[in-house]
Amino acid sequence: MGQFYDDTANQPRTQLMTDDEIGLLDESLRLLGDRQDRVVGYFYAALFVEAPHLRALFPAAMDTQRDRLFRALVGGVRNLAYPEQFEPMLEQLGRDHRKYGVKAEHYELVGRALLTALRQYSDFWVPELDAAWVRAYAAMSAVMQRGAQEAATREPAWWRGEVVAHERRSDDLAVLLLRTDRPYDYEPGQYASIETPYRPRSWRTYSMATAPSADGLLEFHVRALSHGWVSGPLVWRAQVGDVLRLGAPMGEMQIDQDSRRDLLLVAGGTGLAPLKAVIDGMSRWNTSRRVTLFFGARRTSDLYDMGPLYRMSAVNQWLTVVPVVSEDASFNGEQGLLPDVVARWSEGYAGWREHDVMVCGSPAMTRATVNRLTALGVPADRMRYDVAGDEHPAAAQIIDLRRTRASRAPR
């Protein structure tokens, strides 16, 4: 049971979703897992047949968008029993969808197309399941609309960001500085979705690599991926003077300033960006908490930001920077995979059990590091973790990595 809002009366009401109903929804999504591409394809076909004008809101290539829809459904259903997670997540989705041009009248069209697709591909459709999906979508869309309406009172749907510096640090990696057309308020550790003029309506998310500053500049670290519709152009095509679009800041990868524990940071590749922003933010208020940053890459040449990191450690005596390389035997420093190196160092730090922990990198590295730290006895509620680059989850992509395992109470 949770509190939701009726978007017409704008009055709080109780939306009853029993454990049985939520179980029906969860099971239906699980059974649709092997045919999700067909379900999502049918959904978009039904949507564009009924409302062809909506096709202009979507990118030319729909692969990523299709995956995001199914992940959003899974995330929404799994959180129905937990209003303290469900409501912020769906409010953020509604806020984020403003940048796509989504309006209140679109939600009913989407709901009809979604139910049509689910009915088409469900071999086990029964009236009880139909009613549960109708109720669940009503709850999700109502909270999304509430989030969009609230956001519209205080911020634009998107910001213009002019590229004022573009530095290639390697063949496939660039560091960009952007200046926005209006103030862009965010917390160190958050990320922004970016759209380029080269691939209209394709958005990808990248973390800011510095804390907010008086000059208003935003720093992003971008690695080009072979399938990266946004990362490739940002690395190989973008130049000073180009104007990008930025969605509202998102993410909960933020430090607990009330904690007195020392901090362990583990960054793989461009996962360095949000952790560098956290350190930059701490440099303005921290006096006693010690911070140990492990920055890992495959080759020495991939340690693309060591100059700024060493300067930060020279200025802030509480910061220790440990570069790690996994595939370069000539590297004069820590060698091995990040989880292994972090575990080796744990002996001198009481197994990291008294530290707050933040991890960001590829999904594989992030999971491996979190699992290793869990085995060392680090409490789950002291770990925050995320993924980086084009694989970074946008607001419409709900993945388990965004929450610690301790954030969900047992049913």
Short mmCIF file of all heavy atoms in Angstrom, two decimals, residues 86-140:
data_model
loop_
_atom_site.label_atom_id
_atom_site.label_comp_id
_atom_site.label_asym_id
_atom_site.label_seq_id
_atom_site.Cartn_x
_atom_site.Cartn_y
_atom_site.Cartn_z
N PHE A 86 9.46 3.59 -4.64
CA PHE A 86 8.64 3.69 -5.84
C PHE A 86 8.40 5.14 -6.24
O PHE A 86 8.58 5.52 -7.40
CB PHE A 86 7.30 2.98 -5.59
CG PHE A 86 6.32 3.04 -6.74
CD1 PHE A 86 6.35 2.10 -7.75
CD2 PHE A 86 5.36 4.05 -6.80
CE1 PHE A 86 5.45 2.15 -8.79
CE2 PHE A 86 4.45 4.11 -7.84
CZ PHE A 86 4.50 3.15 -8.84
N GLU A 87 7.98 5.95 -5.28
CA GLU A 87 7.60 7.32 -5.62
C GLU A 87 8.78 8.17 -6.09
O GLU A 87 8.68 8.82 -7.14
CB GLU A 87 6.87 7.96 -4.44
CG GLU A 87 5.55 7.27 -4.14
CD GLU A 87 4.71 8.03 -3.12
OE1 GLU A 87 5.07 9.18 -2.80
OE2 GLU A 87 3.70 7.48 -2.67
N PRO A 88 9.92 8.20 -5.39
CA PRO A 88 11.06 8.99 -5.91
C PRO A 88 11.52 8.51 -7.28
O PRO A 88 11.88 9.32 -8.13
CB PRO A 88 12.14 8.79 -4.84
CG PRO A 88 11.40 8.45 -3.59
CD PRO A 88 10.21 7.65 -4.05
N MET A 89 11.53 7.18 -7.50
CA MET A 89 11.99 6.65 -8.77
C MET A 89 11.09 7.11 -9.91
O MET A 89 11.55 7.59 -10.96
CB MET A 89 12.02 5.13 -8.72
CG MET A 89 12.63 4.48 -9.95
SD MET A 89 12.37 2.70 -9.98
CE MET A 89 10.70 2.64 -10.64
N LEU A 90 9.76 7.00 -9.72
CA LEU A 90 8.84 7.38 -10.79
C LEU A 90 8.75 8.89 -10.95
O LEU A 90 8.57 9.40 -12.07
CB LEU A 90 7.45 6.78 -10.51
CG LEU A 90 7.19 5.37 -11.07
CD1 LEU A 90 7.24 5.38 -12.59
CD2 LEU A 90 8.14 4.34 -10.52
N GLU A 91 8.88 9.63 -9.86
CA GLU A 91 8.92 11.09 -9.98
C GLU A 91 10.13 11.52 -10.81
O GLU A 91 10.04 12.42 -11.65
CB GLU A 91 8.98 11.74 -8.59
CG GLU A 91 7.65 11.69 -7.85
CD GLU A 91 7.77 12.23 -6.43
OE1 GLU A 91 8.92 12.46 -5.98
OE2 GLU A 91 6.73 12.41 -5.78
N GLN A 92 11.28 10.85 -10.58
CA GLN A 92 12.47 11.16 -11.36
C GLN A 92 12.27 10.80 -12.83
O GLN A 92 12.70 11.54 -13.73
CB GLN A 92 13.67 10.40 -10.79
CG GLN A 92 14.97 10.60 -11.57
CD GLN A 92 15.43 12.04 -11.55
OE1 GLN A 92 15.83 12.56 -10.53
NE2 GLN A 92 15.37 12.70 -12.69
N LEU A 93 11.60 9.68 -13.10
CA LEU A 93 11.31 9.32 -14.49
C LEU A 93 10.47 10.39 -15.17
O LEU A 93 10.73 10.77 -16.31
CB LEU A 93 10.58 7.98 -14.54
CG LEU A 93 11.41 6.70 -14.49
CD1 LEU A 93 10.50 5.49 -14.45
CD2 LEU A 93 12.33 6.62 -15.70
N GLY A 94 9.44 10.86 -14.47
CA GLY A 94 8.60 11.90 -15.04
C GLY A 94 9.36 13.19 -15.29
O GLY A 94 9.21 13.84 -16.33
N ARG A 95 10.20 13.55 -14.32
CA ARG A 95 11.04 14.74 -14.47
C ARG A 95 11.95 14.60 -15.68
O ARG A 95 12.07 15.51 -16.50
CB ARG A 95 11.86 14.93 -13.20
CG ARG A 95 12.85 16.08 -13.22
CD ARG A 95 13.86 15.92 -12.09
NE ARG A 95 14.75 17.05 -11.95
CZ ARG A 95 15.95 16.98 -11.37
NH1 ARG A 95 16.38 15.83 -10.87
NH2 ARG A 95 16.71 18.05 -11.26
N ASP A 96 12.58 13.44 -15.82
CA ASP A 96 13.53 13.22 -16.90
C ASP A 96 12.86 13.17 -18.26
O ASP A 96 13.43 13.62 -19.26
CB ASP A 96 14.31 11.93 -16.64
CG ASP A 96 15.39 11.70 -17.67
OD1 ASP A 96 16.28 12.55 -17.80
OD2 ASP A 96 15.34 10.67 -18.37
N HIS A 97 11.65 12.64 -18.34
CA HIS A 97 10.98 12.50 -19.63
C HIS A 97 10.54 13.83 -20.22
O HIS A 97 10.15 13.89 -21.39
CB HIS A 97 9.79 11.55 -19.49
CG HIS A 97 10.17 10.11 -19.67
ND1 HIS A 97 11.05 9.47 -18.83
CD2 HIS A 97 9.81 9.19 -20.61
CE1 HIS A 97 11.20 8.23 -19.23
NE2 HIS A 97 10.48 8.04 -20.32
N ARG A 98 10.61 14.90 -19.44
CA ARG A 98 10.28 16.20 -20.00
C ARG A 98 11.22 16.57 -21.15
O ARG A 98 10.82 17.23 -22.10
CB ARG A 98 10.35 17.28 -18.90
CG ARG A 98 9.31 17.12 -17.82
CD ARG A 98 9.52 18.12 -16.69
NE ARG A 98 9.45 19.48 -17.15
CZ ARG A 98 10.38 20.42 -16.94
NH1 ARG A 98 11.48 20.11 -16.25
NH2 ARG A 98 10.24 21.64 -17.38
N LYS A 99 12.47 16.13 -21.06
CA LYS A 99 13.43 16.50 -22.10
C LYS A 99 13.11 15.84 -23.43
O LYS A 99 13.53 16.30 -24.48
CB LYS A 99 14.86 16.15 -21.67
CG LYS A 99 15.19 14.67 -21.63
CD LYS A 99 16.67 14.45 -21.34
CE LYS A 99 17.06 12.99 -21.40
NZ LYS A 99 16.77 12.29 -20.14
N TYR A 100 12.33 14.75 -23.41
CA TYR A 100 11.92 14.09 -24.65
C TYR A 100 10.71 14.76 -25.28
O TYR A 100 10.30 14.40 -26.38
CB TYR A 100 11.55 12.63 -24.37
CG TYR A 100 12.68 11.78 -23.84
CD1 TYR A 100 12.61 11.25 -22.55
CD2 TYR A 100 13.80 11.50 -24.61
CE1 TYR A 100 13.63 10.46 -22.04
CE2 TYR A 100 14.82 10.71 -24.11
CZ TYR A 100 14.74 10.20 -22.83
OH TYR A 100 15.75 9.42 -22.33
N GLY A 101 10.09 15.70 -24.57
CA GLY A 101 8.88 16.32 -25.07
C GLY A 101 7.61 15.60 -24.67
O GLY A 101 6.55 15.82 -25.26
N VAL A 102 7.69 14.72 -23.67
CA VAL A 102 6.52 13.98 -23.21
C VAL A 102 5.57 14.93 -22.48
O VAL A 102 5.98 15.69 -21.61
CB VAL A 102 6.93 12.83 -22.28
CG1 VAL A 102 5.71 12.14 -21.68
CG2 VAL A 102 7.79 11.82 -23.05
N LYS A 103 4.28 14.85 -22.83
CA LYS A 103 3.26 15.68 -22.22
C LYS A 103 2.24 14.80 -21.50
O LYS A 103 2.19 13.59 -21.70
CB LYS A 103 2.57 16.55 -23.28
CG LYS A 103 3.54 17.46 -24.03
CD LYS A 103 2.81 18.34 -25.02
CE LYS A 103 3.79 19.19 -25.82
NZ LYS A 103 4.65 20.03 -24.96
N ALA A 104 1.40 15.44 -20.68
CA ALA A 104 0.45 14.69 -19.87
C ALA A 104 -0.47 13.82 -20.72
O ALA A 104 -0.79 12.68 -20.35
CB ALA A 104 -0.37 15.67 -19.02
N GLU A 105 -0.88 14.33 -21.89
CA GLU A 105 -1.83 13.56 -22.72
C GLU A 105 -1.20 12.32 -23.34
O GLU A 105 -1.92 11.44 -23.83
CB GLU A 105 -2.41 14.45 -23.82
CG GLU A 105 -1.38 15.07 -24.75
CD GLU A 105 -0.92 16.46 -24.33
OE1 GLU A 105 -1.02 16.76 -23.11
OE2 GLU A 105 -0.45 17.22 -25.19
N HIS A 106 0.12 12.22 -23.31
CA HIS A 106 0.79 11.06 -23.91
C HIS A 106 0.69 9.82 -23.03
O HIS A 106 0.80 8.69 -23.52
CB HIS A 106 2.26 11.36 -24.18
CG HIS A 106 2.46 12.47 -25.17
ND1 HIS A 106 3.61 13.25 -25.20
CD2 HIS A 106 1.66 12.95 -26.16
CE1 HIS A 106 3.51 14.14 -26.17
NE2 HIS A 106 2.34 13.98 -26.76
N TYR A 107 0.50 10.02 -21.73
CA TYR A 107 0.52 8.88 -20.81
C TYR A 107 -0.62 7.90 -21.09
O TYR A 107 -0.43 6.68 -21.01
CB TYR A 107 0.47 9.37 -19.36
CG TYR A 107 1.78 9.92 -18.89
CD1 TYR A 107 2.10 11.27 -19.05
CD2 TYR A 107 2.73 9.10 -18.29
CE1 TYR A 107 3.32 11.79 -18.61
CE2 TYR A 107 3.94 9.60 -17.84
CZ TYR A 107 4.23 10.95 -18.02
OH TYR A 107 5.45 11.44 -17.59
N GLU A 108 -1.79 8.39 -21.43
CA GLU A 108 -2.91 7.49 -21.71
C GLU A 108 -2.65 6.68 -22.97
O GLU A 108 -2.93 5.47 -23.02
CB GLU A 108 -4.20 8.29 -21.86
CG GLU A 108 -5.43 7.41 -22.07
CD GLU A 108 -6.72 8.20 -22.16
OE1 GLU A 108 -6.68 9.42 -21.90
OE2 GLU A 108 -7.75 7.59 -22.50
N LEU A 109 -2.06 7.32 -23.99
CA LEU A 109 -1.72 6.60 -25.22
C LEU A 109 -0.71 5.50 -24.95
O LEU A 109 -0.84 4.37 -25.44
CB LEU A 109 -1.16 7.58 -26.25
CG LEU A 109 -2.10 8.67 -26.75
CD1 LEU A 109 -1.32 9.71 -27.56
CD2 LEU A 109 -3.22 8.07 -27.60
N VAL A 110 0.30 5.82 -24.16
CA VAL A 110 1.32 4.83 -23.83
C VAL A 110 0.72 3.68 -23.05
O VAL A 110 1.03 2.51 -23.31
CB VAL A 110 2.45 5.50 -23.01
CG1 VAL A 110 3.39 4.46 -22.41
CG2 VAL A 110 3.25 6.46 -23.89
N GLY A 111 -0.17 3.98 -22.11
CA GLY A 111 -0.80 2.92 -21.32
C GLY A 111 -1.60 1.96 -22.17
O GLY A 111 -1.52 0.74 -21.98
N ARG A 112 -2.36 2.48 -23.12
CA ARG A 112 -3.15 1.60 -23.99
C ARG A 112 -2.25 0.71 -24.83
O ARG A 112 -2.51 -0.49 -25.00
CB ARG A 112 -4.07 2.43 -24.88
CG ARG A 112 -5.27 3.02 -24.16
CD ARG A 112 -6.40 3.32 -25.12
NE ARG A 112 -6.04 4.35 -26.09
CZ ARG A 112 -6.25 5.65 -25.91
NH1 ARG A 112 -6.77 6.09 -24.78
NH2 ARG A 112 -5.91 6.52 -26.86
N ALA A 113 -1.17 1.29 -25.39
CA ALA A 113 -0.27 0.50 -26.22
C ALA A 113 0.45 -0.56 -25.39
O ALA A 113 0.65 -1.70 -25.85
CB ALA A 113 0.75 1.41 -26.90
N LEU A 114 0.82 -0.21 -24.18
CA LEU A 114 1.50 -1.17 -23.31
C LEU A 114 0.60 -2.35 -22.98
O LEU A 114 1.02 -3.51 -23.08
CB LEU A 114 1.94 -0.47 -22.03
CG LEU A 114 2.57 -1.36 -20.96
CD1 LEU A 114 3.84 -2.00 -21.48
CD2 LEU A 114 2.86 -0.55 -19.69
N LEU A 115 -0.64 -2.08 -22.58
CA LEU A 115 -1.55 -3.18 -22.26
C LEU A 115 -1.85 -4.03 -23.48
O LEU A 115 -1.97 -5.26 -23.37
CB LEU A 115 -2.84 -2.61 -21.66
CG LEU A 115 -2.88 -2.47 -20.13
CD1 LEU A 115 -2.90 -3.84 -19.48
CD2 LEU A 115 -1.72 -1.66 -19.59
N THR A 116 -1.93 -3.42 -24.64
CA THR A 116 -2.16 -4.17 -25.87
C THR A 116 -1.01 -5.14 -26.13
O THR A 116 -1.23 -6.32 -26.47
CB THR A 116 -2.30 -3.21 -27.06
OG1 THR A 116 -3.44 -2.38 -26.86
CG2 THR A 116 -2.47 -3.98 -28.37
N ALA A 117 0.23 -4.68 -25.95
CA ALA A 117 1.39 -5.53 -26.19
C ALA A 117 1.48 -6.65 -25.16
O ALA A 117 1.78 -7.81 -25.50
CB ALA A 117 2.66 -4.70 -26.16
N LEU A 118 1.21 -6.35 -23.90
CA LEU A 118 1.27 -7.38 -22.87
C LEU A 118 0.22 -8.46 -23.10
O LEU A 118 0.49 -9.66 -22.95
CB LEU A 118 1.07 -6.74 -21.49
CG LEU A 118 2.22 -5.84 -21.00
CD1 LEU A 118 1.79 -5.06 -19.76
CD2 LEU A 118 3.47 -6.68 -20.70
N ARG A 119 -0.98 -8.05 -23.48
CA ARG A 119 -2.04 -9.03 -23.75
C ARG A 119 -1.68 -9.90 -24.96
O ARG A 119 -1.96 -11.10 -24.98
CB ARG A 119 -3.36 -8.31 -24.00
CG ARG A 119 -3.95 -7.64 -22.76
CD ARG A 119 -5.08 -6.71 -23.15
NE ARG A 119 -5.61 -5.97 -22.00
CZ ARG A 119 -6.06 -4.73 -22.06
NH1 ARG A 119 -6.05 -4.07 -23.21
NH2 ARG A 119 -6.52 -4.14 -20.97
N GLN A 120 -1.06 -9.28 -25.96
CA GLN A 120 -0.74 -10.00 -27.19
C GLN A 120 0.24 -11.14 -26.94
O GLN A 120 0.12 -12.21 -27.55
CB GLN A 120 -0.16 -9.03 -28.21
CG GLN A 120 0.34 -9.66 -29.50
CD GLN A 120 -0.79 -10.17 -30.37
OE1 GLN A 120 -1.94 -9.74 -30.24
NE2 GLN A 120 -0.49 -11.10 -31.27
N TYR A 121 1.22 -10.93 -26.04
CA TYR A 121 2.29 -11.91 -25.89
C TYR A 121 2.23 -12.70 -24.59
O TYR A 121 3.16 -13.44 -24.28
CB TYR A 121 3.64 -11.20 -26.01
CG TYR A 121 4.00 -10.91 -27.44
CD1 TYR A 121 3.71 -9.67 -28.00
CD2 TYR A 121 4.58 -11.88 -28.25
CE1 TYR A 121 4.01 -9.40 -29.32
CE2 TYR A 121 4.89 -11.63 -29.57
CZ TYR A 121 4.60 -10.38 -30.11
OH TYR A 121 4.90 -10.12 -31.42
N SER A 122 1.17 -12.56 -23.84
CA SER A 122 1.04 -13.31 -22.59
C SER A 122 0.14 -14.52 -22.81
O SER A 122 -1.04 -14.38 -23.12
CB SER A 122 0.47 -12.42 -21.48
OG SER A 122 1.35 -11.37 -21.19
N ASP A 123 0.70 -15.72 -22.63
CA ASP A 123 -0.07 -16.95 -22.79
C ASP A 123 -0.94 -17.23 -21.58
O ASP A 123 -1.77 -18.14 -21.62
CB ASP A 123 0.88 -18.14 -22.99
CG ASP A 123 1.77 -17.96 -24.21
OD1 ASP A 123 1.32 -17.31 -25.18
OD2 ASP A 123 2.92 -18.44 -24.17
N PHE A 124 -0.76 -16.49 -20.53
CA PHE A 124 -1.41 -16.78 -19.25
C PHE A 124 -2.28 -15.61 -18.80
O PHE A 124 -2.54 -15.44 -17.63
CB PHE A 124 -0.33 -17.04 -18.19
CG PHE A 124 0.77 -16.02 -18.22
CD1 PHE A 124 0.68 -14.84 -17.50
CD2 PHE A 124 1.91 -16.23 -19.00
CE1 PHE A 124 1.68 -13.88 -17.55
CE2 PHE A 124 2.92 -15.27 -19.05
CZ PHE A 124 2.81 -14.10 -18.32
N TRP A 125 -2.72 -14.77 -19.75
CA TRP A 125 -3.47 -13.57 -19.39
C TRP A 125 -4.84 -13.93 -18.81
O TRP A 125 -5.58 -14.70 -19.40
CB TRP A 125 -3.67 -12.68 -20.62
CG TRP A 125 -3.99 -11.26 -20.28
CD1 TRP A 125 -5.21 -10.68 -20.22
CD2 TRP A 125 -3.06 -10.24 -19.93
NE1 TRP A 125 -5.12 -9.36 -19.86
CE2 TRP A 125 -3.79 -9.06 -19.68
CE3 TRP A 125 -1.67 -10.20 -19.80
CZ2 TRP A 125 -3.20 -7.86 -19.31
CZ3 TRP A 125 -1.08 -9.01 -19.44
CH2 TRP A 125 -1.84 -7.85 -19.19
N VAL A 126 -5.11 -13.40 -17.65
CA VAL A 126 -6.38 -13.64 -16.96
C VAL A 126 -6.92 -12.30 -16.47
O VAL A 126 -6.17 -11.31 -16.38
CB VAL A 126 -6.20 -14.60 -15.75
CG1 VAL A 126 -5.82 -15.99 -16.23
CG2 VAL A 126 -5.17 -14.05 -14.78
N PRO A 127 -8.22 -12.20 -16.16
CA PRO A 127 -8.79 -10.92 -15.72
C PRO A 127 -8.06 -10.31 -14.53
O PRO A 127 -7.89 -9.09 -14.45
CB PRO A 127 -10.23 -11.28 -15.37
CG PRO A 127 -10.54 -12.45 -16.24
CD PRO A 127 -9.27 -13.23 -16.32
N GLU A 128 -7.61 -11.15 -13.59
CA GLU A 128 -6.92 -10.63 -12.42
C GLU A 128 -5.60 -9.95 -12.80
O GLU A 128 -5.23 -8.92 -12.24
CB GLU A 128 -6.65 -11.75 -11.41
CG GLU A 128 -7.89 -12.35 -10.78
CD GLU A 128 -8.56 -13.38 -11.66
OE1 GLU A 128 -8.03 -13.68 -12.77
OE2 GLU A 128 -9.61 -13.91 -11.25
N LEU A 129 -4.89 -10.55 -13.76
CA LEU A 129 -3.64 -9.96 -14.22
C LEU A 129 -3.90 -8.67 -14.99
O LEU A 129 -3.18 -7.68 -14.83
CB LEU A 129 -2.88 -10.96 -15.10
CG LEU A 129 -1.54 -10.48 -15.67
CD1 LEU A 129 -0.59 -10.07 -14.56
CD2 LEU A 129 -0.91 -11.57 -16.55
N ASP A 130 -4.94 -8.66 -15.80
CA ASP A 130 -5.31 -7.46 -16.54
C ASP A 130 -5.58 -6.31 -15.58
O ASP A 130 -5.08 -5.19 -15.74
CB ASP A 130 -6.54 -7.74 -17.41
CG ASP A 130 -6.82 -6.60 -18.38
OD1 ASP A 130 -7.42 -5.58 -17.94
OD2 ASP A 130 -6.45 -6.72 -19.56
N ALA A 131 -6.38 -6.59 -14.55
CA ALA A 131 -6.73 -5.55 -13.58
C ALA A 131 -5.50 -5.07 -12.83
O ALA A 131 -5.37 -3.86 -12.54
CB ALA A 131 -7.77 -6.09 -12.60
N ALA A 132 -4.58 -5.98 -12.52
CA ALA A 132 -3.36 -5.59 -11.80
C ALA A 132 -2.50 -4.66 -12.66
O ALA A 132 -1.94 -3.67 -12.16
CB ALA A 132 -2.58 -6.82 -11.38
N TRP A 133 -2.40 -4.97 -13.97
CA TRP A 133 -1.59 -4.12 -14.85
C TRP A 133 -2.23 -2.76 -15.04
O TRP A 133 -1.53 -1.74 -15.07
CB TRP A 133 -1.38 -4.80 -16.20
CG TRP A 133 -0.10 -5.59 -16.27
CD1 TRP A 133 0.02 -6.94 -16.40
CD2 TRP A 133 1.22 -5.06 -16.19
NE1 TRP A 133 1.36 -7.28 -16.40
CE2 TRP A 133 2.10 -6.16 -16.28
CE3 TRP A 133 1.73 -3.78 -16.05
CZ2 TRP A 133 3.49 -5.98 -16.24
CZ3 TRP A 133 3.11 -3.62 -16.01
CH2 TRP A 133 3.98 -4.72 -16.10
N VAL A 134 -3.54 -2.72 -15.16
CA VAL A 134 -4.23 -1.43 -15.30
C VAL A 134 -3.97 -0.57 -14.07
O VAL A 134 -3.65 0.62 -14.16
CB VAL A 134 -5.74 -1.64 -15.50
CG1 VAL A 134 -6.49 -0.31 -15.37
CG2 VAL A 134 -6.01 -2.26 -16.87
N ARG A 135 -4.07 -1.17 -12.90
CA ARG A 135 -3.86 -0.43 -11.66
C ARG A 135 -2.40 -0.01 -11.51
O ARG A 135 -2.11 1.11 -11.08
CB ARG A 135 -4.30 -1.30 -10.48
CG ARG A 135 -4.20 -0.60 -9.14
CD ARG A 135 -4.80 -1.42 -8.03
NE ARG A 135 -6.24 -1.59 -8.23
CZ ARG A 135 -7.03 -2.24 -7.37
NH1 ARG A 135 -6.52 -2.79 -6.30
NH2 ARG A 135 -8.31 -2.33 -7.62
N ALA A 136 -1.50 -0.91 -11.85
CA ALA A 136 -0.07 -0.59 -11.70
C ALA A 136 0.33 0.55 -12.63
O ALA A 136 1.04 1.48 -12.22
CB ALA A 136 0.77 -1.83 -11.98
N TYR A 137 -0.13 0.50 -13.88
CA TYR A 137 0.24 1.57 -14.81
C TYR A 137 -0.38 2.90 -14.37
O TYR A 137 0.25 3.95 -14.49
CB TYR A 137 -0.18 1.25 -16.24
CG TYR A 137 0.23 2.37 -17.18
CD1 TYR A 137 1.55 2.51 -17.57
CD2 TYR A 137 -0.70 3.32 -17.61
CE1 TYR A 137 1.95 3.56 -18.38
CE2 TYR A 137 -0.31 4.37 -18.43
CZ TYR A 137 1.02 4.49 -18.81
OH TYR A 137 1.41 5.55 -19.60
N ALA A 138 -1.61 2.86 -13.87
CA ALA A 138 -2.23 4.08 -13.37
C ALA A 138 -1.40 4.70 -12.26
O ALA A 138 -1.20 5.92 -12.20
CB ALA A 138 -3.65 3.80 -12.89
N ALA A 139 -0.88 3.85 -11.36
CA ALA A 139 -0.04 4.34 -10.27
C ALA A 139 1.25 4.94 -10.81
O ALA A 139 1.67 6.04 -10.42
CB ALA A 139 0.26 3.20 -9.30
N MET A 140 1.90 4.22 -11.73
CA MET A 140 3.18 4.69 -12.25
C MET A 140 3.02 6.00 -13.02
O MET A 140 3.79 6.95 -12.84
CB MET A 140 3.81 3.62 -13.13
CG MET A 140 4.33 2.42 -12.33
SD MET A 140 5.33 1.24 -13.31
CE MET A 140 4.03 0.27 -14.09
#
